[in-house]
């Protein structure tokens, strides 16, 4: 399988709408609706105390079941799942623009070798179990990977979620939640190379400082470490329904979204508990990113927001 099927697109103001099939837009999504959404403003920029060792410094609420997010030098990209779109914010969480998609986005991944590209996984709409390749500035869909049919064959995904790209080998590691596997794709060849099995429902993934793979296994209740070839190394932590797992590339700390108890736990590079934070203000944290200034960005699925901690 390879990236293909370029989509026609039209632009309304600064919003790109892809016209792959009109049936995707029969849910009352109109140009006026989209422009009104762009008017949403930051809810709060005050420092709000949180339990734990972090403070909430910014938040934005008004999304619809947000999942993954990614952060670059200037922008925050959020998979706004039930609105079938990618939202783009500045670092102050002002909504800049958004791009419509034919499916419900779950995972996001920025291309380390091409700053113009973002990959988006979809997996909850029939015929849309795919990974889309987008221009991250215009929202134009450049192609897609996978047949779209849910399955476990070489050209199929089944509920792909979070992804990570190994910069050295230019391979993408994709969590397939309902295939209970990690699929590895060569972005040079634009084809699947191999896959390996995990425990139940892998949903979050990152690369460690010692060049291994960390996977959060939602129904396996654990964070598990594998080699890049898929060999089991160890259970790093037993935890309650983990979603995102993120390695701080500066010091090796491991951040974990323990979704059902609305807690962010942090382990040091030796896997010892270091700190944690939680609050009733956000519910069911899902996505997590750390920027180069040490700010922690979190999406919360049930409170429909983005939260920034320091």
């Amino acid at each position: 399988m390879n990236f293909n099927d370029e989509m026609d697109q039209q632009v309304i103001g600064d919003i790109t709408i892809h016209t792959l099939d009109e049936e995707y837009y029969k849910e009352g999504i109109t140009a006026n609706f989209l422009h009104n959404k762009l008017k949403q403003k930051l809810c709060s920029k005050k420092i709000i105390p949180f339990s734990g060792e972090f403070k909430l410094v910014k938040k934005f609420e008004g999304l619809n079941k947000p999942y993954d997010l990614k952060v670059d030098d200037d922008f925050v990209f959020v998979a706004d799942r039930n609105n079938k779109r990618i939202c783009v914010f500045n670092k102050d969480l002002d909504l800049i623009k958004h791009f419509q998609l034919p499916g419900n986005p779950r995972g996001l991944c920025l291309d380390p070798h091409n700053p113009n590209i973002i990959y988006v996984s979809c997996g909850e709409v029939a015929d849309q179990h795919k990974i889309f390749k987008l221009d991250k500035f215009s929202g134009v869909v450049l192609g897609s990977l996978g047949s779209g049919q849910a399955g476990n064959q070489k050209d199929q995904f089944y509920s792909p979620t979070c992804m990570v790209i190994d910069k050295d080998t230019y391979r993408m590691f994709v969590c397939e939640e309902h295939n209970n596997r990690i699929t590895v794709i060569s972005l040079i060849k634009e084809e699947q190379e191999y896959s390996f099995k995990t425990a139940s429902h892998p949903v979050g993934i990152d690369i460690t400082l010692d060049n291994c793979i960390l996977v959060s296994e939602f129904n396996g209740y654990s964070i598990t470490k594998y080699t890049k070839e898929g060999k089991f190394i160890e259970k790093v932590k037993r935890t309650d329904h983990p979603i995102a797992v993120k390695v701080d590339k500066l010091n090796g700390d491991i951040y974990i979204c323990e979704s059902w108890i609305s807690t962010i736990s942090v382990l040091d590079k030796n896997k010892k508990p270091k700190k944690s934070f939680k609050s009733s203000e956000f519910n069911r944290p899902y996505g997590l990113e750390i920027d180069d200034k040490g700010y922690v960005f979190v999406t919360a699925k049930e409170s429909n927001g983005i939260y920034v901690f320091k």
Side-chain angles (χ1 to χ4, degrees), residues 165-205:
I165 294 175
D166 179 7
K167 186 176 182 179
D168 295 335
T169 63
Y170 209 18
R171 290 186 173 100
M172 178 189 289
F173 292 76
V174 182
C175 293
E176 289 191 71
E177 182 177 5
H178 291 120
N179 273 334
N180 295 325
R181 71 182 184 185
I182 304 299
T183 293
V184 184
I185 298 162
S186 168
L187 293 178
I188 297 173
K189 301 176 183 177
E190 294 191 344
E191 64 181 24
Q192 179 181 334
E193 290 193 330
Y194 60 95
S195 62
F196 58 88
K197 283 292 186 180
T198 68
S200 182
H201 292 235
V203 290
I205 190 166

Side-chain angles (χ1 to χ4, degrees), residues 44-82:
S44 174
K45 294 186 181 181
K46 297 179 180 178
I47 295 177
I48 303 170
F50 253 51
S51 61
E53 300 181 37
F54 286 80
K55 291 183 182 296
L56 177 67
V57 294
K58 301 171 187 174
K59 69 176 182 177
F60 178 99
E61 294 173 337
L63 304 172
N64 193 345
K65 302 292 187 274
Y67 271 49
D68 200 11
L69 81 163
K70 288 294 179 283
V71 177
D72 66 12
D73 292 341
D74 302 302
F75 299 105
V76 181
F77 301 83
V78 179
D80 192 10
R81 175 192 153 209
N82 281 9

